Amino acid sequence: MNQYLDVLKKYAVFSGRARRQEFWLFVLFSILVSIVLAVLDAVLGTNGILGAIYSLAIVIPSLAVGARRLHDTGRSGWWQLIAIVPLIGTIVLIVFWATEGEPNPNKYGPNPKYAPAA
């Protein structure tokens, strides 16, 4: 839960690096919230409006944490655009996100595993 809130606190911060844990826990929690909202939409008969509002609300934080995760692997956040390529682009992006970050500081900042908590 703290990882999810940390990402939301950095709403539009595209600089720096994000650990795998921060990224994947944000993804997991976002999926869980989406499932709960889909159930609520079905029960309330709101035709997916709650899910749509939530999806719009997390677009920027999702792009930001994705860019920071790519920075941790030494890649530019612009690599997220590879998802435009059907199937292959998404698979490549998931592999990049799952790759362990560079152990040493890189041009995007110090290793978040060893950086002091701010």
Side-chain angles (χ1 to χ4, degrees), residues 16 18 20-23 31-32 35 38 43 49 51 61 74 86 88 106 111-112 114:
R20 282 185 292 186
Q21 179 184 17
E22 177 183 359
F23 176 80
I31 290 170
L32 293 175
I35 291 169
V43 169
I49 212 79
I88 301 299
N106 63 19
N111 187 340
Y114 308 117

Side-chain angles (χ1 to χ4, degrees), residues 3-71:
Q3 300 289 348
Y4 181 79
L5 295 175
D6 288 344
V7 170
L8 293 181
K9 287 176 188 173
K10 299 176 188 175
Y11 189 83
V13 177
F14 287 83
S15 61
R17 295 168 65 172
R19 294 178 64 189
R20 282 185 292 186
Q21 179 184 17
E22 177 183 359
F23 176 80
W24 290 112
L25 286 177
F26 175 78
V27 169
L28 174 66
F29 196 83
S30 294
I31 290 170
L32 293 175
V33 170
S34 295
I35 291 169
V36 168
L37 290 175
V39 170
L40 279 174
D41 276 330
V43 169
L44 299 174
T46 55
N47 295 326
I49 212 79
L50 296 175
I53 291 170
Y54 177 72
S55 294
L56 283 174
I58 66 163
V59 166
I60 302 295
S62 297
L63 290 172
V65 75
R68 290 195 313 270
R69 179 69 206 121
L70 289 169
H71 290 171

Side-chain angles (χ1 to χ4, degrees), residues 54-116:
Y54 177 72
S55 294
L56 283 174
I58 66 163
V59 166
I60 302 295
S62 297
L63 290 172
V65 75
R68 290 195 313 270
R69 179 69 206 121
L70 289 169
H71 290 171
D72 193 41
T73 64
R75 293 176 179 85
S76 168
W78 288 103
W79 269 101
Q80 292 181 94
L81 292 175
I82 199 168
I84 294 171
V85 178
L87 189 61
I88 301 299
T90 303
I91 292 170
V92 168
L93 192 55
I94 290 171
V95 169
F96 286 169
W97 283 333
T99 303
E100 186 172 357
E102 293 181 347
N104 299 318
N106 63 19
K107 67 181 180 179
Y108 300 106
N111 187 340
K113 255 186 194 177
Y114 308 117

